[in-house]
Amino acid sequence: MRTRMLSATDLATAAKAIDEAAEILRRGGLVAFPTETVYGLGADARDGTALRSIYAAKGRPSDNPLIVHAADAPRAFSLAESVATQAHMLADAFWPGPLSLVLPKSAEVPDEVSGGLQSVAVRVPDHPVALALLERFDGPLAAPSANLSGRPSPTSAKHVWHDLAGRIDAILDGGETGVGLESTVVDLTTPIPCVLRLGGLPLESLERLLGDVEVATKLRETDTGQPVRSPGLKYRHYAPNAPLYVLIGDRRTVVHALSQLYRDAKDKGRRAGFLLTQEAANLLNIDPSDRLCYVLGPLGNPDAVARRLYAGLRYLDAGAPEVIVAEGIDGSGLGRAVADRLQRAAEGSLLQADEVLARGTTLRALLEGIPSG
């Protein structure tokens, strides 16, 4: 398949590209398009054959549900059998925006969207290109992240091209995305609203509006044979090709442990990648030209850190490191969502910084699967 790159970076001149993308979608094709969170891989949410093409293009398991994008709240809610008062409250407060709501699905929603569940996740994206495409297409678009399954989500058209060129019909290039993390997913089919996936809308914003909110605590649901309730709960997600370890602990100890592993990499000539905040990079005196180090941004600016997270993982992977060591991120707001993504990308490979220091853990130990030294 030949993948076309359609330019929509200038909305004033993007009408032709958006028209072409909409026509491809009407024919049952696949088009990647930008949202405020990450790039999505769009297909007609009413067309079972097109939806199956999404799973094939991404290499995505068929029990992993898709999120449906609509141009406005009424069209999003038309996909639900019933809409709770809380859904209207959340839509009024946060749509368009990085929030997906899980609702009982209507009979018209294909099983390919829901992954076998009796619910559907819907949202209204906050991106002018996405909204223009939805209006021009005049229908709902199922759109998971436009990457190979398990890989870091794409925040630029270049990332989509790297993963899916030759697998999809077109990429609608709208520049880099603004949030950099997927939408927050809230399940409203439960007695108490449950956050299934932390994301671009901070948990605190939901709590201020709803009061009690549960948060799904499992890092990764076990394979019970049952469909998962949200993307990102099962299977390897957001991960680079290289093994990833995340250093956790108090800030001072984490930086000292990073320093130990960074010196080990330089002394032994190891191809190790490092994903750091600006503060840690300054303390370690990182050379800005070091191809195997990527600075996310200031620790005090979690929005900037979130925006650059996936780009950083992809950047380091391109340098073919043997291993990647990431500085753990904590805190509130988007910092909590960043921590969630790092832990999922590392598949639970977390290093306690104090143990790394006490045991003199080396990069060789990490590569041999013995992080305790």
Side-chain angles (χ1 to χ4, degrees):
M1 179 184 296
R2 176 177 173 267
T3 299
R4 300 175 60 195
M5 185 71 80
L6 305 174
S7 178
T9 52
D10 183 354
L11 195 60
T13 59
K16 183 174 184 296
I18 291 170
D19 284 348
E20 291 181 29
E23 182 56 34
I24 291 170
L25 291 165
R26 291 189 196 99
R27 297 197 303 264
L30 301 182
V31 176
F33 63 93
T35 75
E36 80 282 19
T37 56
V38 298
Y39 271 72
L41 180 57
D44 188 340
R46 304 158 296 190
D47 183 342
T49 300
L51 294 168
R52 289 191 290 274
S53 296
I54 287 180
Y55 289 101
K58 284 175 58 71
R60 181 186 179 96
S62 60
D63 64 349
N64 206 357
L66 307 175
I67 293 174
V68 180
H69 295 61
D72 54 38
R75 281 180 272 195
F77 289 152
S78 71
L79 301 167
E81 181 180 49
S82 60
V83 182
T85 300
Q86 290 172 319
H88 288 287
M89 291 170 54
L90 290 166
D92 289 344
F94 302 120
W95 279 355
L99 172 67
S100 295
L101 300 178
V102 177
L103 304 169
K105 74 172 186 175
S106 72
E108 288 72 33
V109 175
D111 287 341
E112 288 88 350
V113 165
S114 59
L117 296 169
Q118 294 305 305
S119 58
V120 61
V122 294
R123 87 179 189 98
V124 179
D126 188 15
H127 193 289
V129 173
L131 292 172
L133 177 63
L134 286 161
E135 288 286 359
R136 190 71 184 89
F137 176 65
D138 194 23
L141 293 176
S145 56
N147 58 306
L148 291 174
S149 185
R151 292 277 292 145
S153 296
T155 56
S156 71
K158 178 178 66 175
H159 296 160
V160 181
W161 183 269
H162 181 272
D163 278 14
L164 298 181
R167 292 171 172 260
I168 65 177
D169 296 281
I171 301 168
L172 196 56
D173 182 3
E176 294 186 358
T177 62
V179 176
L181 295 177
E182 298 83 358
S183 62
T184 299
V185 179
V186 179
D187 189 350
L188 294 178
T189 67
T190 54
I192 297 176
C194 181
V195 176
L196 300 180
R197 182 178 72 186
L198 296 166
L201 181 69
L203 178 63
E204 294 85 349
S205 297
L206 294 170
E207 291 173 330
R208 282 193 291 270
L209 184 66
L210 297 178
D212 288 340
V213 176
E214 293 183 346
V215 179
T217 56
K218 290 182 181 179
L219 178 63
R220 179 177 170 185
E221 290 191 353
T222 55
D223 188 0
T224 62
Q226 299 299 314
V228 293
R229 292 185 292 161
S230 171
L233 289 179
K234 191 177 178 183
Y235 310 108
R236 190 171 186 244
H237 262 74
Y238 320 117
N241 291 321
L244 172 67
Y245 290 92
V246 181
L247 278 168
I248 59 175
D250 70 83
R251 184 59 38 195
R252 181 185 295 273
T253 308
V254 166
V255 172
H256 286 168
L258 280 169
S259 178
Q260 175 177 299
L261 292 171
Y262 182 70
R263 287 198 309 270
D264 183 50
K266 297 307 174 186
D267 293 345
K268 305 289 177 52
R270 295 278 184 188
R271 290 194 62 78
F274 289 86
L275 192 68
L276 310 163
T277 63
Q278 186 64 63
E279 291 84 350
N282 292 343
L283 290 169
L284 270 60
N285 196 27
I286 298 293
D287 182 348
S289 66
D290 190 334
R291 182 63 182 79
L292 289 175
C293 291
Y294 188 91
V295 178
L296 292 168
L299 187 62
N301 187 348
D303 289 10
V305 171
R307 191 179 307 119
R308 290 169 59 83
L309 175 63
Y310 292 141
L313 289 172
R314 286 177 173 270
Y315 175 89
L316 292 175
D317 237 5
E322 300 171 274
V323 64
I324 296 173
V325 179
E327 177 185 353
I329 305 295
D330 53 22
S332 58
L334 288 188
R336 184 169 179 174
V338 170
D340 170 81
R341 295 304 191 275
L342 281 173
Q343 291 184 36
R344 293 178 190 274
E347 292 194 288
S349 294
L350 308 181
L351 301 177
Q352 292 290 339
D354 55 355
E355 293 183 10
V356 169
L357 291 173
R359 300 178 184 182
T361 301
T362 64
L363 288 166
R364 179 178 178 180
L366 299 185
L367 293 167
E368 293 176 350
I370 315 172
S372 59

